[in-house]
């Protein structure tokens, strides 16, 4: 079940909730910030994209937003 547009993601030790993010310039949707960080060869726990969404708008030279699917 999706709650607040978040999906469950299973890690080695626990279940956590993730939100999809979109890179505006690339028009690429990632299942989580961690997945987007890995795409750019960064640590999954890096907070650059999170900060870009909430504060600075850019990370790794791109603009980011949480992806919201219509019709949910």
């Amino acid at each position: 079940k999706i709650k607040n547009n978040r999906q469950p993601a299973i890690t080695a030790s626990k279940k956590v909730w993730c939100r999809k993010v979109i890179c505006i310039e690339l028009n690429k949707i990632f299942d989580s910030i961690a997945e987007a960080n890995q795409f750019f060869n960064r640590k999954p726990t890096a907070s650059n994209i999170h900060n870009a969404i909430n504060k600075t708008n850019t990370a790794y030279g791109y603009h980011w937003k949480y992806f919201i699917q219509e019709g949910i």
Side-chain angles (χ1 to χ4, degrees):
K1 181 177 178 182
I2 296 177
K3 183 192 292 186
N4 296 328
N5 202 33
R6 295 179 182 199
Q7 307 180 68
I10 306 298
T11 63
S13 61
K14 61 184 174 182
K15 182 177 179 181
V16 295
W17 290 95
C18 298
R19 290 174 72 181
K20 290 185 178 188
V21 294
I22 184 169
C23 176
I24 304 302
E25 289 81 2
L26 299 177
N27 196 33
K28 182 162 177 61
I29 300 167
F30 299 92
D31 287 333
S32 66
I33 290 175
E35 181 182 306
N37 279 322
Q38 289 176 327
F39 179 82
F40 288 98
N41 296 317
R42 304 293 200 266
K43 291 182 181 178
T45 56
S47 61
N48 300 27
I49 295 172
H50 173 78
N51 290 339
I53 292 170
N54 292 306
K55 299 175 186 173
T56 63
N57 289 333
T58 61
Y60 313 127
Y62 299 100
H63 292 86
W64 299 87
K65 291 187 177 188
Y66 286 116
F67 179 73
I68 299 173
Q69 287 179 296
E70 295 183 19
I72 293 181

